[in-house]
Amino acid sequence: MTHPTIGFIGLGLMGHGMAANIQKAGYPLVALAHRKREAIEALVADGATEVKTPREMAEQCDIIHLCVTGSPQVEANMRGEDGLLAGLKPGAIIIDCSTSDPVSTLAMAEETKAAGGHFVDAPLGRTPKEAHEGTLDTMVGADPDVFEQIKPVLETWAGIITHMGPVGLGHKMKLINNFIAMGYA
């Protein structure tokens, strides 16, 4: 069985562990460097390919993860002549694991659809420890057929995967969870 090529943008505290688990599961990995070089150097040493722009990644990958701070960073990686949308392969899937604004998520989904791909929101629960262990929680907003395509990849880094329904519901649920957590705090 040949695995799809996976892209990863956002090799921070959560993303590095997620990307490493994708790679350990045998998926070809293409990554964009984080501000600090340690994560990309470790992944490249284990066989990953480093790219310089999101567009270069999109030209090579079937499924791309974004694990960045939030919607402004997601949009910056998506748009422009060097963005993911400029190089997106037909049928490619972009998975936004960031804590993003659901309004932005729906806009990114429309722009991705217009570019010939699919957009999924899959925000995270838990900590960097679980990211390295491959046992994160994720709340996924995706069309059912797209969800089935990405589920084996999600299983490399998540222990609990909840398909919430259509695109946007993952980010809405993440915001509700954050609101409840802040209330408890």
Side-chain angles (χ1 to χ4, degrees):
M1 177 179 152
T2 56
H3 288 303
T5 300
I6 309 299
F8 211 100
I9 298 174
L11 300 174
L13 293 174
M14 300 292 272
H16 182 211
M18 295 166 68
N21 282 306
I22 291 167
Q23 196 171 29
K24 284 178 197 164
Y27 288 90
L29 184 70
V30 176
L32 188 68
H34 188 261
R35 290 182 306 271
K36 298 177 184 173
R37 296 276 317 159
E38 294 87 353
I40 190 73
E41 289 170 2
L43 294 169
V44 168
D46 287 336
T49 301
E50 181 179 1
V51 293
K52 300 296 181 198
T53 67
R55 179 183 184 145
E56 187 181 348
M57 177 179 289
E59 291 168 347
Q60 299 178 43
C61 295
D62 305 298
I63 299 171
I64 300 165
H65 290 73
L66 287 161
C67 191
V68 295
T69 308
S71 293
Q73 295 77 20
V74 169
E75 292 175 15
N77 279 290
M78 296 280 292
R79 295 177 172 150
E81 69 179 49
D82 282 329
L84 292 172
L85 295 175
L88 200 65
K89 292 168 58 173
I93 302 167
I94 298 171
I95 304 172
D96 180 11
C97 298
S98 315
T99 301
S100 294
D101 177 347
V103 174
S104 172
T105 298
L106 294 176
M108 293 298 94
E110 285 302 314
E111 291 179 35
T112 304
K113 183 178 179 182
H118 308 279
F119 192 86
V120 171
D121 53 319
L124 310 172
R126 304 195 78 184
T127 70
K129 175 183 177 286
E130 287 85 17
H132 284 280
E133 294 170 354
T135 58
L136 289 170
D137 298 342
T138 188
M139 301 151 274
V140 184
D143 293 336
D145 59 327
V146 174
F147 177 74
E148 289 304 318
Q149 289 179 59
I150 64 170
K151 190 175 179 191
V153 179
L154 301 179
E155 289 172 339
T156 68
W157 54 260
I160 298 176
I161 301 166
T162 306
H163 184 207
M164 304 305 300
V167 174
L169 289 184
H171 282 142
K172 288 178 183 176
M173 184 55 71
K174 172 70 175 186
L175 294 178
I176 292 167
N177 284 344
N178 285 0
F179 178 76
I180 292 169
M182 286 188 279
Y184 283 130

